[in-house]
Amino acid sequence: MPNLSSIVALAELAGKRMLLTGDARGDKILEGLELTGLVPQGGSLHVDILKVPHHGSANNMEPSFFERVTADHYVFSGNGEHGNPERETLEMLFSVCGNRPFTLHFTYPIEEIDAERSKRRNWVPERDSLAALFAKRDMPAAGQQVVCAQPNQPHVIDLLTPLGF
């Protein structure tokens, strides 16, 4: 179980927080946050950026993780290989967040992720694709958006005030 030894880091600068989760399981992340006193027992944590655990694998997530760790920006680093990020994880996030504003960041275009994910058995686009999931939601009305990294271009989530020089 090498993924259970993933490094999880909470970085803070100028009042902004970012939780980097590696391939750790959501329950282990919460346990670690409680053990270190960063989150009270059963409490919650809000961060500006959350790198979603294990590339968005549903095997490592439960809705309670998204209830207890909220963010303004959720980063999914999977390219569709091994099915990640999984639609089920995004459905969990949507069900917990409701109409709260947030931004989803993907390190690959949705079409590329879905193309890789479609190689899985019993693929049904309407049921399984991320594109179909986003098409069913009125994300802009809720202040929610999807941003994908573009090839050969840096993807920057800038939370700090410009320095002015």
Side-chain angles (χ1 to χ4, degrees):
M1 294 205 209
N3 285 337
L4 293 180
S5 66
S6 285
I7 293 173
V8 176
L10 178 63
E12 186 171 351
L13 176 67
K16 302 293 183 177
R17 290 177 147 185
M18 174 173 50
L19 183 60
L20 304 173
T21 60
D23 283 347
R25 287 188 350 210
D27 60 338
K28 296 297 182 186
I29 295 166
L30 290 167
E31 183 180 316
L33 290 168
E34 289 177 348
L35 285 171
T36 59
L38 292 167
V39 173
Q41 186 76 30
S44 63
L45 172 72
H46 181 79
V47 295
D48 297 282
I49 299 174
L50 170 66
K51 187 279 185 186
V52 177
H54 204 150
H55 312 288
S57 169
N59 293 331
N60 297 306
M61 297 300 299
E62 295 179 5
S64 61
F65 179 82
F66 290 124
E67 290 167 357
R68 296 188 57 203
V69 178
T70 61
D72 298 321
H73 299 269
Y74 295 88
V75 178
F76 290 84
S77 63
N79 66 353
E81 188 177 357
H82 307 295
N84 297 324
E86 291 185 279
R87 181 170 162 156
E88 184 180 346
T89 301
L90 286 151
E91 289 170 338
M92 282 183 231
L93 178 64
F94 287 140
S95 103
V96 168
C97 292
N99 289 328
R100 179 178 63 77
F102 58 82
T103 302
L104 301 174
H105 298 266
F106 293 87
T107 56
Y108 291 85
I110 299 303
E111 300 77 27
E112 286 182 33
I113 295 170
D114 277 346
E116 186 66 33
R117 293 178 70 248
S118 71
K119 297 174 185 177
R120 299 173 69 84
R121 291 178 136 180
N122 303 318
W123 172 267
V124 177
E126 183 58 34
R127 180 193 68 209
D128 299 319
S129 80
L130 301 183
L133 174 66
F134 298 144
K136 286 196 298 189
R137 294 187 56 83
D138 188 11
M139 294 179 71
Q144 300 168 351
Q145 61 180 333
V146 174
V147 178
C148 296
Q150 298 301 311
N152 304 316
Q153 294 181 9
H155 185 83
V156 177
I157 304 170
D158 188 355
L159 301 175
L160 301 175
T161 305
L163 296 176
F165 61 91

